[in-house]
Amino acid sequence: MDAVTELLSAVLAGLSAILFGIATAAAVRYRDPRLAMVGGALGLFVVIGALSLLHELSPRYGAPFQIDPVPLGLAVAAVALLYVALVRRPSAPPTR
């Protein structure tokens, strides 16, 4: 299970960091506080993923940051759904 948890931690930190950058850039450009709140939430996911990865790579220093694979998988699924919603193509306008 350690390899699975390491992979989930790395994926969570990486995907969240990418989306955090996009949300921050969009919040600055459009001056929308909702985007800033989404960016803040994604920033928390980056921290959670990084601390979980620290625990997996160095249990001595990261002992208090252990996260079980199931909640970590749910967090990855939530961020993946955000990513899919971001990159999917917009639907074609209806033709008349």
Side-chain angles (χ1 to χ4, degrees):
M1 277 293 226
D2 291 334
V4 171
T5 308
E6 283 180 23
L7 178 67
L8 287 173
S9 298
V11 167
L12 179 64
L15 274 179
S16 297
I18 292 169
L19 289 175
F20 173 72
I22 293 170
T24 303
V28 169
R29 180 174 179 172
Y30 296 113
R31 294 186 181 100
D32 190 358
R34 293 175 294 177
L35 289 172
M37 287 189 284
V38 169
L42 287 166
L44 288 175
F45 275 130
V46 171
V47 170
I48 289 169
L51 290 177
S52 177
L53 189 60
L54 173 70
H55 169 73
E56 292 301 320
L57 296 178
S58 174
R60 180 177 178 189
Y61 297 109
F65 307 119
Q66 179 182 5
I67 300 176
D68 291 330
V70 172
L72 201 56
L74 290 174
V76 168
V79 172
L81 286 174
L82 277 172
Y83 190 78
V84 168
L86 178 73
V87 297
R88 74 177 178 101
R89 294 181 129 166
S91 59
T95 57
R96 294 183 190 204

